[in-house]
């Protein structure tokens, strides 16, 4: 229950997770009491299978891929692990010279950590390519790294859009460079789907990660979209449910909810982006009016519509976060997955910030439930909060 005098929560952390949309809740709950494993041959099993296959078709239509290219997983982290390790193993098995993986220094940990693991446990050589001060990949560095020895590159993995500062990456250029040498490209599009146009076939990538809980669907379900021609070695062995690439009983209700959310997010992407970008621009302008030395990180135009990543010199991001939280305003100091760990962001360090600059930032991320009142509440709170955080450091 909410206490009568409690202020409503101002939720500005949609990049960490966004609330489910009603259509997704309805699609998911419609199947929670269904009996039937989609792999069973009887009528109940066939009914569940139909729900899963219709969901796969819905997602394929929304993302410009074939239904058979959608491999359901438990979310973005599993899909990224499957792509990075599975493609590496498969490509290296075809040709043992392929031991290099090219990526960027600003990937999410769902990509970075499997890369580090492959380097330590499997002898991979991982090259994290630099980004500029706006967090855009240096494509000349990518070209040079490939051309140094194309035959040794197992794969390239570059995120579609960065989860911390919101910068959208030049995926077209990445694909153009890699495809000259027949090198597969994986992209983590977890933050991009529903926020910016994402079309799998048109993009030319070979595999792409998305997840339910960032697009208005449930937690614990996602997908790796992967070209049928691309070899992917399984990580999880068992019943072989998803093309023998991913085993485990298929979660029919979650997949139905996931598909409903993806369909709506993609259908309304353009209006959503325009509305949310308007709120975000208002937020940035007004916060900087109140705190004149605050500054926006990331790319001014090639960025996710809901992302406002701001630096507040002289403050600890963690203190700002807790002071705002005490006023009912929820945001993040970086990616939710590393929040709580008091380390400077690897993304900001890669953009050339020093440790101090990398610690004084907050990410406000807006989404489908955000309103002008959320922005007003932040603008009202930010001045006193920054003053207190600065006083605490003196
Ligand atoms: C860019 C990016 N990749 C991967 C993930 C992990 O997705 P999931 O939470 O579904 O495992 C996240 C979640 O924060 C993300 O932002």
């Amino acid at each position: 229950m909410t206490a009568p005098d409690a202020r409503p929560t101002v939720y500005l952390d949609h990049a960490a997770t966004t609330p489910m949309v009603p259509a997704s809740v309805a699609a998911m709950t419609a199947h929670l009491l269904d009996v039937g494993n989609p792999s069973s041959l009887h009528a109940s099993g066939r009914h569940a299978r139909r729900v899963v296959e219709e969901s796969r078709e819905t997602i394929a239509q929304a993302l410009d891929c074939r239904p058979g290219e959608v491999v359901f997983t438990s979310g973005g982290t599993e899909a990224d692990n499957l792509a990075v390790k599975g493609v590496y193993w498969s490509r290296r098995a075809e040709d043992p010279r392929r031991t290099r993986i090219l990526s960027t220094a600003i990937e999410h940990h769902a990509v970075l950590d499997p890369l580090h693991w492959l380097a330590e446990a499997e002898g991979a050589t991982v090259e994290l390519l630099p980004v500029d001060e706006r967090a855009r990949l240096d494509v000349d560095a990518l070209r040079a790294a490939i051309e140094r020895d194309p035959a040794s590159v197992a794969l390239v993995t570059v995120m579609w859009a960065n989860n911390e500062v919101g910068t959208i990456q030049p995926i077209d250029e990445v694909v153009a460079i890699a495809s000259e040498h027949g090198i597969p490209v994986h992209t983590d599009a977890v933050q991009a789907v529903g926020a910016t146009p994402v079309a799998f076939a048109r993009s030319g990538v070979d595999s792409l990660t998305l997840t339910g809980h960032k697009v208005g669907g449930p937690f614990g379900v996602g997908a790796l979209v992967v070209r049928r021609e691309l070899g992917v070695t399984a990580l999880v062995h068992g019943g072989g449910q998803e093309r023998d690439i991913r085993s485990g009983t298929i979660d029919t209700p979650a997949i139905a909810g996931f598909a409903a959310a993806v369909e709506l997010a993609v259908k309304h992407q353009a209006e959503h982006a325009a509305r949310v970008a308007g709120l975000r621009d208002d937020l940035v302008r007004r916060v900087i009016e109140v705190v004149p030395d605050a500054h926006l990180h990331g790319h001014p135009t090639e960025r996710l519509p809901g992302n406002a990543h701001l630096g507040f010199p002289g403050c600890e991001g963690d203190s700002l976060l807790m002071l705002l939280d005490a006023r009912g305003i929820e945001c993040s100091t970086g990616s939710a997955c590393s929040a709580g760990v008091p380390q400077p962001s690897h993304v900001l360090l890669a953009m050339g910030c020093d440790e101090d600059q990398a610690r004084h930032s907050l990410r406000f991320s807006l989404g489908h439930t955000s309103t002008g009142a959320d922005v007003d509440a932040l603008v009202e709170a930010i001045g006193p909060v920054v003053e207190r955080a600065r006083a605490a450091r003196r």
Side-chain angles (χ1 to χ4, degrees), residues 15-16 74-78 80 108 110 159 161-163 188 190-191 209-214 220-221 335-337:
S74 64
T77 301
E78 187 192 337
D80 280 334
H108 189 273
M159 68 198 326
N162 181 261
N163 50 297
D188 174 345
V190 161
Q191 295 286 341
T209 290
L210 70 155
T211 192
H213 73 104
K214 310 277 187 184
V221 63
S335 74
C337 313

Side-chain angles (χ1 to χ4, degrees), residues 40-48 50:
S40 296
L41 298 179
H42 48 61
S44 299
R46 292 198 305 277
H47 173 73
R50 193 159 58 245

